[in-house]
Amino acid sequence: MVEIEEKPSAAPVRPGRERPGKKGHGPDSLGGILAKIILLGITDAVAAFVLFQLVLSGEWLIFVISLATTLVINWIYLRRGGLPAKYLAPGVIFLMIFQVFVMIFSTYIAFTNYGDGHNSTKSDAIASIQLSASERVPDSPQFATSVLEKNGSYFLLVTTPEGEARLGGAETPLETVTPSTTGPTGAATGVDGYTTLDFTALLANQQAITTLTVPLSDNPEDGSLKTADGSTSYVYTPKLKFDAAADTFTDTTTGVVYSDGGRGSFVAEDGTALNTGWKVNVGLDNFVRAFTDQNLQGPLLKVIAWTFTFAILSVATTFALGLFLAITFNRADLKGQKIYRILMILPYAFPAFLSGLVWSGLLNPEFGFINNALLGGAAIPWLTDPVLAKISVLVVNLWLGYPYMFLVCTGALQSLPEEVDEAARMDGAGVFKIFTAIKLPLLLVSLAPLLISSFAFNFNNFNVIYMLTGGGPRFDGTTFDIGSTDILITMVYKIAFGTGAGRDYGLASALAIIIFLIVAAVSALSFKKTKALEDLN
């Protein structure tokens, strides 16, 4: 009879005690609890500050969302268990802020007239019109004036004819103050906490000072003070009188009446609108305007056509060159194979926006290396001629994009079984036939999704276009800053943040939605077609 020796079992762990070697390393250890308290304390402090600012600004919807998010974060990290949620929570929160919220907000803006002159409320627009459209009051009293500065803002310190010192800025109406210094005539020249500008400082900031408008009171109808030399100021009253009952502005010099046109602007009977308006919902107007506005319709259609051409040719040329080099340097008997491969991927190591700037200098018609050194001083307009600029963009993007295709094609080629090539040779197939009938279809099985993603990337390839040509040369017959090499994404950027016709965030957001729909439709169709390749696997 064989006796089985029992091995001593591990000593049981008493409740509330940890095994040796685990002390101080668990999430519920003293160190983990302290770290949790510190991080949650910092998070709650930041959240409390943000919530306080939201209350002051009256953003109640965002306040409720932020408060709920803060409470959920505290619940996740203060309760026991729920370890997956503790790891997933930061990523989900950042996803909601930087992706979901941005998409929702951009969609909302696309249905508004938000942009230059339409970026605030109607009451703010009325006040701005009254301050900006003003004229000097005849026989206005002269106010002795000193210009003061505090935290980068300018203020007017004036002395009334009655000898009272009053101080005000662009956002703060005049109020009585006690001057800290006075001039020889008894006029106030300084106030504690403010810096009085001397003559040199007045000259250096002349434009900002001469455009400074200080309201006399909270009511814009009472007028405002302006100074032309920094030493005297006069009373100005609104040139456009606002009738709150009729909700109209009347030009006191011409008698023209401007009424609310229902589109965020005060409009006269002849269609003339005041420059300052307010943000309102306009429905599908931005989408309709994109394809019907004569100032935008022609350039937009050309940009759409070039965007597809650029994306398709970029994918085709980079894939063709990358595949050719991958096949060339995939020979097992090639000496220096690793060195060649390293040299091939060097352009991939440089940031695209820096490469665009470098190539912009190389292709400069007057001082560029290509014209002066390689072409003997020729003056070829690589970046200023519409056709040559497009060719230059494609060539530069080819130089930047082929290393990626070279890498993925090399990996795909090395995954193909060699037995297929041998069987094809035994059947009498040539090199070209093996490539077109066997290798290429097998490669496309794994590379088709990458080609689709490459198309989507080049469809929105902002860096190369903007850094190389800036979208130029510019189209004629439009007030928008749109050019021959602009693609949709650079066009959207210029409309949103550029010059030309001014910033129009609503129109830019509408175009961004159009880009999303185009890319999504092309990608969905392409993925559907690539399912036919799965039978080759």
Side-chain angles (χ1 to χ4, degrees), residues 53-66:
Q53 297 298 321
L54 291 174
V55 170
L56 294 179
S57 60
E59 300 289 345
W60 297 109
L61 176 61
I62 301 178
F63 170 81
V64 172
I65 295 174
S66 301

Side-chain angles (χ1 to χ4, degrees), residues 109 112-120 264 275-280 286 289 495-497 501-509:
I109 294 299
T112 69
N113 63 344
Y114 187 38
D116 280 350
H118 300 86
N119 53 15
S120 189
N275 292 331
T276 304
W278 59 95
K279 186 178 68 173
V280 295
N286 288 322
R289 177 187 170 197
I495 292 175
F497 305 106
R503 293 171 291 187
D504 193 334
Y505 303 121
L507 178 60
S509 297

Side-chain angles (χ1 to χ4, degrees), residues 50 126 226 239 283 467:
V50 173
I126 293 173
K226 291 184 179 181
K239 179 182 176 182
M467 294 299 175

Side-chain angles (χ1 to χ4, degrees), residues 62-180:
I62 301 178
F63 170 81
V64 172
I65 295 174
S66 301
L67 179 60
T69 303
T70 304
L71 294 176
V72 169
I73 292 174
N74 281 270
W75 176 75
I76 290 175
Y77 288 99
L78 289 177
R79 71 188 182 103
R80 288 183 177 273
L83 189 62
K86 294 177 180 179
Y87 282 103
L88 291 174
V92 172
I93 291 173
F94 285 119
L95 173 67
M96 296 296 293
I97 294 175
F98 295 110
Q99 292 292 333
V100 178
F101 171 75
V102 171
M103 292 177 61
I104 294 175
F105 185 72
S106 298
T107 303
Y108 161 71
I109 294 299
F111 294 92
T112 69
N113 63 344
Y114 187 38
D116 280 350
H118 300 86
N119 53 15
S120 189
T121 62
K122 185 175 181 179
S123 58
D124 291 338
I126 293 173
S128 177
I129 292 172
Q130 290 175 314
L131 288 176
S132 59
S134 59
E135 57 185 356
R136 181 177 170 181
V137 175
D139 302 323
S140 165
Q142 177 177 305
F143 294 81
T145 305
S146 294
V147 181
L148 278 57
E149 184 270 337
K150 183 179 181 181
N151 298 329
S153 300
Y154 297 105
F155 300 83
L156 295 183
L157 175 61
V158 299
T159 303
T160 65
E162 294 78 17
E164 181 184 12
R166 307 188 72 187
L167 176 69
E171 304 294 334
T172 55
L174 288 175
E175 58 181 11
T176 303
V177 295
T178 301
S180 59

Side-chain angles (χ1 to χ4, degrees), residues 287-465:
F287 296 91
V288 174
R289 177 187 170 197
F291 295 98
T292 58
D293 186 349
Q294 297 300 318
N295 194 32
L296 183 62
Q297 179 186 28
L300 176 61
L301 295 177
K302 293 179 182 178
V303 167
I304 292 176
W306 164 240
T307 302
F308 274 99
T309 303
F310 171 74
I312 294 172
L313 290 180
S314 294
V315 174
T317 54
T318 55
F319 176 67
L321 181 58
L323 180 59
F324 171 77
L325 294 175
I327 295 174
T328 302
F329 297 120
N330 196 47
R331 295 177 57 89
D333 58 346
L334 180 65
K335 295 182 179 180
Q337 185 184 66
K338 292 183 179 179
I339 297 177
Y340 291 135
R341 286 178 173 174
I342 291 174
L343 292 176
M344 289 299 102
I345 64 174
L346 280 181
Y348 201 41
F350 293 96
F353 69 94
L354 287 181
S355 298
L357 290 176
V358 172
W359 276 99
S360 179
L362 294 175
L363 294 170
N364 186 282
E366 298 180 4
F367 311 105
F369 177 83
I370 293 178
N371 276 352
N372 288 335
L374 299 183
L375 301 178
I380 300 176
W382 295 107
L383 304 178
T384 55
D385 179 79
V387 176
L388 291 178
K390 293 179 178 179
I391 295 174
S392 300
V393 167
L394 289 172
V395 171
V396 172
N397 200 43
L398 172 62
W399 185 81
L400 289 171
Y402 84 84
Y404 169 74
M405 292 298 181
F406 170 73
L407 288 175
V408 297
C409 289
T410 299
L413 283 172
Q414 292 177 348
S415 67
L416 296 180
E418 297 182 359
E419 294 81 2
V420 177
D421 286 3
E422 295 177 1
R425 293 192 191 97
M426 292 180 63
D427 289 340
V431 176
F432 182 76
K433 187 66 175 180
I434 292 174
F435 173 75
T436 56
I438 299 176
K439 283 190 174 181
L440 184 59
L442 290 175
L443 286 172
L444 289 177
V445 173
S446 57
L447 295 182
L450 297 178
L451 295 178
I452 296 172
S453 64
S454 179
F455 172 85
F457 171 79
N458 283 289
F459 202 88
N460 294 298
N461 197 341
F462 178 87
N463 288 336
V464 172
I465 301 295

